[in-house]
């Protein structure tokens, strides 16, 4: 014999809220501590700032080297620059000169 009366279970009314809490907790944890979470974003931002500074240094160094190469090119050979490089590479100096290297 079938009746419409069902025994109320105490466990049954906690299933949906427990699943919801587990679901929200899982995604909340990974939102903060995950690979793309808030803490990882801070690390990525710090790396971006460090690398942008490094890039600026490298760009400045490249521009300086391009200027030196332009001075040594065939069209505009600068005698002082040529003399400086020859003395540096060959470690040549006159007897009455004092040489100071600051590279």
């Amino acid at each position: 014999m079938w009746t419409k009366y069902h025994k109320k279970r105490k466990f049954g009314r906690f299933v949906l809220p427990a699943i919801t809490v587990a679901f929200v907790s899982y995604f909340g944890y990974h939102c903060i501590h995950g690979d793309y979470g808030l803490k990882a974003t801070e690390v990525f931002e710090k790396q971006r700032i460090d690398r942008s500074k490094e890039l600026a240094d490298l760009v400045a160094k490249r521009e300086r080297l391009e200027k030196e190469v332009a001075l040594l090119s065939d069209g505009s050979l600068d005698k002082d620059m040529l003399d400086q490089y020859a003395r540096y590479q060959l470690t040549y100096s006159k007897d009455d000169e004092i040489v100071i290297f600051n590279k």
Side-chain angles (χ1 to χ4, degrees):
M1 175 170 167
W2 294 95
T3 62
K4 292 185 177 183
Y5 178 76
H6 295 287
K7 184 177 178 183
K8 291 185 178 181
R9 298 182 201 149
K10 291 182 180 179
F11 178 72
R13 63 182 150 172
F14 293 119
V15 171
L16 186 61
I19 292 173
T20 304
V21 166
F23 185 78
V24 169
S25 298
Y26 175 79
F27 285 107
Y29 175 81
H30 286 287
C31 203
I32 295 173
H33 299 287
D35 291 340
Y36 300 104
L38 295 175
K39 290 189 177 183
T41 303
E42 292 173 1
V43 172
F44 290 149
E45 186 65 22
K46 184 178 178 187
Q47 286 179 352
R48 186 190 65 81
I49 291 170
D50 292 342
R51 290 183 180 161
S52 65
K53 289 178 184 176
E54 183 180 348
L55 176 65
D57 293 340
L58 290 174
V59 166
K61 182 178 180 181
R62 180 177 181 212
E63 289 174 354
R64 182 180 52 83
L65 289 173
E66 285 177 352
K67 286 180 184 178
E68 290 179 7
V69 168
L71 290 173
L72 291 174
S73 66
D74 291 337
S76 64
L77 186 62
D78 188 17
K79 303 288 185 192
D80 291 332
M81 185 65 84
L82 181 63
D83 184 53
Q84 175 187 351
Y85 275 112
R87 286 174 184 256
Y88 181 74
Q89 294 295 328
L90 300 174
T91 61
Y92 172 76
S93 64
K94 296 179 184 175
D95 293 334
D96 61 343
E97 290 181 337
I98 298 174
V99 179
I100 300 173
F101 296 109
N102 61 355
K103 284 191 177 185

